[in-house]
Amino acid sequence: MTVNPVDSVPFASPAAAVGTPFVETPVAYDAILLAGFGGPEGQEDVIPFLRNVTRGRGIPDERLEEVAHHYRHFGGVSPINGQNRALKAALEEELAARSIDLPVYWGNRNWTPYLEDAVAEAAANGHTTLLAFATSAYSSFSSCRQYREDFARVLGGSQYEDVVTIDKIRPFFDHPGFVQAFVDGVHDALSGLLADGMSPEAVQVLFTTHSIPSADAVRSGPRDVEWGEGGAYAAQHEAVAAWTMDRVAQLLPSAADVPWELVYQSRSGPASQPWLEPDVCDVIEELPERERQAVVVVPVGFMSDHMEVLWDLDTEAKEAAETAGLRFIRTPTPGVSAGFVAGIVDLVQERLEGRPPADRAHVTGLGPSFDICRPGCCENVRAGFKPAAAGIAP
């Protein structure tokens, strides 16, 4: 692919800076940057954390308190920080087992340790060519571009601007290391229900992910691809869900008759703003009318059991199922399973080796996704485009 000279990628390693979709030149990275969302560590952190999450939107504290009760229910401690600590340790162990000498630095967008702290620590240790793994698998503003904008914000105008480079691992929504946990979870849940004598048609599988504004969804992914009404974000989730059910049916043929659909959760915008639907709890309430007796909820949009899983699914969706008289099973997220951790390191090795796309692991026809985000990819409708690393400027 020919790339115009103006299509350079800022804050990138030389191999990534030329802007080709896939980097097929080996890069001698000297550290991994584990980029997380962040979460409060105590009750006094909850409102300051939510201010960080909603910065620039002018949301008063009394409205933030409406969300804060989710965290206060768990003592003000988000599980996401402990999960990222465990992931960091598991990555370090897997890297060492493969004799890959790369330290892992952890930084968050919205709470300590911040990305600024991680970059400063890496640079102080002489590690300036960083490969970032963001803890979101899919393409959208909030799950990809916002991380890239934060990388650019941390480096732009700082003492590290011409010293540190940050490349980003591709969206990994259909990497086998990520999706295997969902296959295993659905297989185990359906095996148990069908063995108990329940008919396949009496079970409903709901693949669920975080809802986003419809206007952002339609702008997710590169602009030169026709994705459909929900953009790349919805298309990627649909593809993973369909592949998961096909794979389960290969392992458990009776599961081929189990109905499934993609649903959404955790919307937080005003009622006047369209978001992706249907909502998981609304669908669960309707299942008795479809003559369902059990629901299997699959958190296909999530890496680990953080707040949106523990509260929105294990609390609210479970209560909706109990009210509807349904058996409820929520399947596991990848977490720090051996297959997922090995998959992350495989994604690291892709970039260390400059592995061609034909040799990159993926399970759907949408992958493997690109290393360098394309112009106009994942625009934030509310704020427009800001400088971003790991992609070509719009």
Side-chain angles (χ1 to χ4, degrees):
M1 174 180 176
T2 301
V3 178
N4 295 326
V6 296
D7 288 342
S8 60
V9 181
F11 313 111
S13 68
V18 296
T20 53
F22 297 96
V23 180
E24 298 184 54
T25 302
V27 179
Y29 294 105
D30 47 29
I32 304 299
L33 175 61
L34 176 61
F37 186 82
E41 301 269 31
Q43 295 286 15
E44 68 280 0
D45 298 339
V46 173
I47 292 300
F49 161 74
L50 292 174
R51 290 177 189 143
N52 285 345
V53 173
T54 61
R55 65 174 69 88
R57 302 183 202 173
I59 299 177
D61 284 359
E62 55 266 26
R63 282 187 56 196
L64 296 180
E65 195 62 51
E66 296 174 8
V67 178
H69 78 277
H70 300 170
Y71 293 95
R72 301 204 186 285
H73 178 81
F74 295 95
V77 178
S78 169
I80 199 168
N81 290 322
Q83 290 159 9
N84 279 335
R85 291 186 186 99
L87 181 60
K88 179 178 182 293
L91 282 174
E92 290 168 338
E93 183 176 347
E94 180 69 14
L95 288 164
R98 298 198 201 183
S99 299
I100 301 174
D101 186 18
L102 291 178
V104 181
Y105 296 93
W106 167 40
N108 295 319
R109 288 180 36 228
N110 298 299
W111 202 247
T112 59
Y114 290 104
L115 285 167
E116 291 89 339
D117 303 324
V119 169
E121 182 183 2
N125 291 334
H127 300 141
T128 57
T129 305
L130 309 182
L131 180 61
F133 175 81
T135 53
S136 294
Y138 296 86
S139 296
S140 73
F141 171 73
S142 56
S143 58
C144 185
R145 185 178 180 90
Q146 194 166 16
Y147 283 95
R148 299 194 297 109
E149 290 184 357
D150 281 323
F151 299 155
R153 175 182 54 79
V154 169
L155 297 182
S158 75
Q159 61 182 309
Y160 308 113
E161 182 168 7
D162 298 319
V163 177
V164 174
T165 63
I166 302 179
D167 295 342
K168 180 181 175 293
I169 286 172
R170 63 179 169 99
F172 55 92
F173 62 94
D174 70 344
H175 191 282
F178 175 66
V179 301
Q180 188 60 46
F182 305 121
V183 173
D184 294 342
V186 174
H187 176 270
D188 292 349
L190 295 183
S191 294
L193 291 170
L194 299 180
D196 286 346
M198 193 169 290
S199 70
E201 296 82 3
V203 182
Q204 179 75 43
V205 176
L206 298 179
F207 290 89
T208 183
T209 189
H210 206 301
S211 185
I212 60 175
S214 299
D216 284 336
V218 76
R219 289 168 173 78
S220 59
R223 300 297 80 220
D224 57 355
V225 177
E226 180 55 50
W227 295 103
E229 185 175 342
Y233 185 75
Q236 290 169 356
H237 283 87
E238 285 275 4
V240 172
W243 185 87
T244 298
M245 291 303 293
D246 286 346
R247 179 61 181 150
V248 170
Q250 293 173 21
L251 301 169
L252 184 68
S254 55
D257 295 324
V258 173
W260 67 271
E261 66 180 287
L262 176 66
V263 298
Y264 299 91
Q265 62 177 88
S266 313
R267 74 159 289 163
S268 58
S272 59
Q273 182 183 37
W275 282 53
L276 292 179
E277 296 179 330
D279 178 78
V280 60
C281 289
D282 291 343
V283 172
I284 288 174
E285 291 172 3
E286 298 169 356
L287 292 182
E289 299 175 9
R290 304 185 198 177
E291 299 183 348
R292 306 290 191 262
Q293 300 173 24
V295 59
V296 177
V297 175
V298 188
V300 71
F302 304 98
M303 254 183 51
S304 62
D305 289 7
H306 50 68
M307 193 59 67
E308 283 81 358
V309 175
L310 295 182
W311 181 264
D312 298 352
L313 298 182
D314 291 357
T315 304
E316 293 185 335
K318 183 179 180 180
E319 289 176 356
E322 290 173 350
T323 300
L326 301 168
R327 289 182 63 177
F328 175 89
I329 299 174
R330 195 270 291 174
T331 68
T333 52
V336 292
S337 63
F340 180 47
V341 174
I344 297 173
V345 176
D346 185 61
L347 289 161
V348 170
Q349 287 189 302
E350 286 182 356
R351 302 298 293 275
L352 291 172
E353 299 169 3
R355 191 180 301 170
D359 297 333
R360 299 186 180 195
H362 63 285
V363 300
T364 77
L366 299 181
S369 194
F370 42 77
D371 299 321
I372 306 302
C373 288
R374 316 323 297 155
C377 189
C378 298
E379 177 185 6
N380 178 0
V381 176
R382 180 180 56 84
F385 291 110
K386 297 179 182 178
I392 300 172

